[in-house]
Amino acid sequence: MRDVIFLSHANPEDNEITLWLALQLAREGYPVWCDLTRLLGGEDFWRDIQDAIRERTAKFLFVLSRSSNAKSGPLNELEVATKLARKDKLKDFIIPLWVDDLPPSEFDIRLTSLNAIPFRPSWAAALGLLLRKLEEDGIPKHPSFNPSAVASWWRQHAAAMSVVRAEPEVLVSNWYPIEPVTLYVHELERVGTGALEVPARPIWRSEERRVGKECR
């Protein structure tokens, strides 16, 4: 029974977008499998990659990037999917998800005749196109794949993934520290009453004050 969406990608280079995509698909109700989540919400059938593709996969999503276009792992999975699609005459079985600036002229030859969904500049817009395609092709959903299942998976795995990391970063600011060492205070003496007028030759009194880092 073909009831699973298979996500093939370069690990670890394309892990970020692949994990995001796997969770988004699962949230929409699609049984999705990738090596980052396994079969989220269901059994783990990853005992044999080729059997998983040949027997359970309804759609083979290939995360197409400079990395996956050159790595043996994703390309071997693509080869299995290509042979299966040709043998069983599976229409649109392979869907390339074009995620970086790899030129179309450099796509693997097995992908050049397929319609790739561009994930640049917007992941969200591309996801919308993918969901529409899955709906049109009648890819089955399963009730165990839902927002609650995704939230549960996230709670179990987010800590181990170190989603929030303590790392140094550069702070860019137009504020500059001022640490005066010496201040010179000048006072203008006033003679008499009435309107304050600055004499042609004012009398100044200078006072030198030494301060530390704090200026009051």
Side-chain angles (χ1 to χ4, degrees):
M1 179 181 180
R2 299 192 179 281
D3 59 350
V4 171
I5 295 175
F6 189 99
L7 267 172
S8 177
H9 70 106
N11 188 338
E13 293 88 347
D14 298 328
N15 282 1
E16 182 179 1
I17 188 171
T18 302
L19 178 60
W20 178 84
L21 184 58
L23 296 178
Q24 293 297 321
L25 292 172
R27 185 178 182 278
E28 294 295 326
Y30 290 106
V32 57
W33 202 104
C34 77
D35 59 354
L36 302 176
T37 61
R38 301 291 169 157
L39 189 58
L40 186 152
E43 63 178 300
D44 184 354
F45 69 90
W46 190 255
R47 289 182 172 83
D48 187 281
I49 296 176
Q50 296 189 27
D51 288 345
I53 297 174
R54 292 189 181 115
E55 298 174 10
R56 295 287 301 277
T57 300
K59 284 291 184 185
F60 181 89
L61 305 184
F62 188 81
V63 179
L64 176 59
S65 67
R66 289 184 177 275
S67 297
S68 65
N69 199 58
K71 294 190 75 170
S72 60
L75 292 180
N76 288 340
E77 295 170 1
L78 177 61
E79 178 64 16
V80 174
T82 301
K83 290 180 177 179
L84 176 64
R86 186 182 304 119
K87 172 178 171 292
D88 293 351
K89 296 180 172 56
L90 301 175
K91 181 182 179 182
D92 296 337
F93 178 66
I94 301 171
I95 301 179
L97 309 178
W98 184 17
V99 300
D100 66 8
D101 60 350
L102 176 71
S105 60
E106 297 180 16
F107 285 7
D108 184 276
I109 191 172
R110 289 160 291 194
L111 300 173
T112 54
S113 62
L114 304 180
N115 292 323
I117 296 179
F119 273 70
R120 299 176 68 207
S122 171
W123 290 9
L127 175 63
L129 295 175
L130 175 59
L131 292 175
R132 187 185 310 165
K133 176 61 177 174
L134 297 177
E135 186 73 24
E136 291 173 352
D137 290 356
I139 303 304
K141 297 184 178 183
H142 194 280
S144 64
F145 290 80
N146 52 56
S148 296
V150 171
S152 176
W153 184 94
W154 187 258
R155 284 193 297 269
Q156 294 176 25
H157 295 82
M161 293 164 54
S162 299
V163 176
V164 178
R165 299 184 297 272
E167 295 182 356
E169 60 179 327
V170 177
L171 175 62
V172 179
S173 173
N174 61 354
W175 286 65
Y176 293 91
I178 299 177
E179 300 180 358
V181 176
T182 303
L183 292 181
Y184 295 93
V185 181
H186 302 275
E187 296 181 0
L188 175 63
E189 288 188 346
R190 176 176 179 176
V191 179
T193 60
L196 179 63
E197 297 181 356
V198 179
R201 302 184 63 181
I203 302 173
W204 299 92
R205 182 172 61 199
S206 298
E207 179 182 349
E208 181 178 324
R209 298 179 185 177
R210 297 191 176 275
V211 298
K213 292 185 176 181
E214 183 177 352
C215 178
R216 297 182 180 179

